[in-house]
């Protein structure tokens, strides 16, 4: 399960916060789909005693992310490596919290190892916030690209802030992320550099040994 906080009234977001989502917005299907998934899981748990665990993930990134998945880190890296403008919406002052995939997996494994009585939801993410503009600048510096940042109108319902409160994960799972953004970007950029190569082939067809999945 992934978090569905659009315009949060609580910051950072705890598991007890119910969210604030426009029910008829352009991204409503994305947001409400995740809320619906939690609802269905809990209904099956209550009615059929199904064993469940619910995690709310916050912006996972890392190697093996699909280059066209629409996530901001993969978008920026692909644009930088191809020498294209780095697309920032609004002024880039909106914030996100990025969790490296190995940290996310460790959190999920620890959640699965808890007693059946602990269901969640529990936030799995990195509580360190960065502005989108700062992320773009980091990617430019670390890729060595000549790309420049270009600013575009901000989409409807684009979140202003997104930061998890991981107090529950620290307490119950004895977990917190270890890998800072700069350290996680290095292997992520290297991965994209390898699959993009000279841009003459589609990343999905370069090697049958590479399986691209969303992180």
């Amino acid at each position: 399960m992934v978090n569905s906080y659009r315009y949060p009234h609580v910051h950072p977001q705890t598991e007890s916060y119910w969210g604030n989502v426009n029910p008829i917005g352009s991204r409503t299907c994305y947001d409400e789909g995740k809320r619906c998934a939690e609802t269905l899981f809990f209904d099956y748990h209550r009615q059929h005693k199904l064993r469940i665990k619910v995690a709310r993930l916050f912006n996972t990134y890392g190697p093996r992310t699909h280059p066209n998945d629409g996530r901001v880190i993969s978008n920026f890296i692909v644009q930088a490596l191809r020498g294209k403008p780095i697309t920032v919406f609004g002024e880039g002052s909106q914030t996100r919290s990025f969790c490296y995939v190995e940290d996310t997996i460790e959190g999920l494994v620890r959640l699965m190892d808890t007693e059946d009585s602990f269901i969640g939801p529990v936030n799995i993410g990195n509580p360190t916030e960065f502005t989108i503009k700062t992320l773009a600048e980091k990617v430019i510096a670390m890729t060595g690209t000549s790309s420049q940042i270009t600013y575009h109108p901000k989409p409807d319902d684009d979140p202003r802030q997104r930061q998890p409160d991981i107090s529950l994960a620290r307490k119950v799972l004895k977990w917190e992320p270890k890998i800072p953004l700069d350290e996680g970007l290095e292997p992520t950029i290297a991965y994209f550099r390898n699959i993009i190569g000279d841009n003459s082939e589609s990343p999905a067809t370069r090697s049958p040994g590479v399986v691209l999945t969303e992180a």
Side-chain angles (χ1 to χ4, degrees):
M1 183 60 207
V2 184
N3 75 81
S4 59
Y5 306 132
R6 186 57 56 198
Y7 287 109
H9 291 156
V10 175
H11 185 77
Q13 289 86 55
T14 63
E15 291 83 358
S16 61
Y17 177 54
W18 289 357
N20 178 37
V21 175
N22 175 5
I24 58 171
S26 59
R27 297 187 54 164
T28 298
C29 184
Y30 173 77
D31 297 323
E32 298 290 23
K34 293 180 288 185
R35 290 155 65 103
C36 180
E38 285 196 5
T39 299
L40 290 172
F41 265 68
F42 274 91
D43 279 346
Y44 268 76
H45 171 69
R46 284 186 287 261
Q47 295 183 30
H48 304 293
K49 311 304 180 185
L50 187 70
R51 298 170 61 208
I52 67 170
K53 303 286 184 183
V54 177
R56 292 178 178 166
L57 308 186
F58 284 72
N59 290 84
T60 298
Y61 74 98
R64 302 179 71 82
T65 310
H66 197 286
N68 298 319
D69 70 358
R71 299 171 189 264
V72 65
I73 286 184
S74 46
N75 282 351
F76 284 0
I77 293 175
V78 169
Q79 288 172 339
L81 293 177
R82 290 177 173 165
K84 295 182 177 180
I86 308 298
T87 305
V88 170
F89 296 101
E91 298 177 353
S93 59
Q94 62 270 44
T95 66
R96 298 293 183 272
S97 303
F98 303 105
C99 192
Y100 189 65
V101 62
E102 289 183 5
D103 283 332
T104 297
I105 291 171
E106 177 65 22
L108 291 173
V109 169
R110 293 191 182 208
L111 172 61
M112 296 303 293
D113 284 342
T114 58
E115 298 292 333
D116 287 352
S117 58
F118 183 76
I119 296 170
V122 59
N123 292 337
I124 302 293
N126 193 317
T128 304
E129 271 186 296
F130 294 91
T131 67
I132 294 300
K133 183 178 180 181
T134 297
L135 173 65
E137 292 169 344
K138 284 180 177 291
V139 170
I140 288 172
M142 295 180 70
T143 57
T145 184
S146 60
S147 298
Q148 301 293 314
I149 298 174
T150 59
Y151 297 91
H152 300 264
K154 192 160 61 172
D156 292 339
D157 297 335
D158 188 46
R160 291 185 297 266
Q161 296 173 299
R162 185 174 291 156
Q163 180 191 24
D165 182 318
I166 62 168
S167 300
L168 183 61
R170 286 188 173 114
K171 178 181 178 181
V172 176
L173 308 183
K174 311 301 181 188
W175 172 90
E176 63 181 350
K178 305 295 185 184
I179 301 173
L181 181 59
D182 284 9
E183 184 178 331
L185 283 175
E186 290 182 2
T188 307
I189 290 170
Y191 170 77
F192 279 109
R193 198 185 297 277
N194 180 59
I195 65 168
I196 290 174
D198 61 5
N199 300 329
S200 62
E201 299 175 84
S202 166
T205 62
R206 288 182 63 84
S207 169
V210 174
V211 180
L212 301 175
T213 60
E214 290 193 17

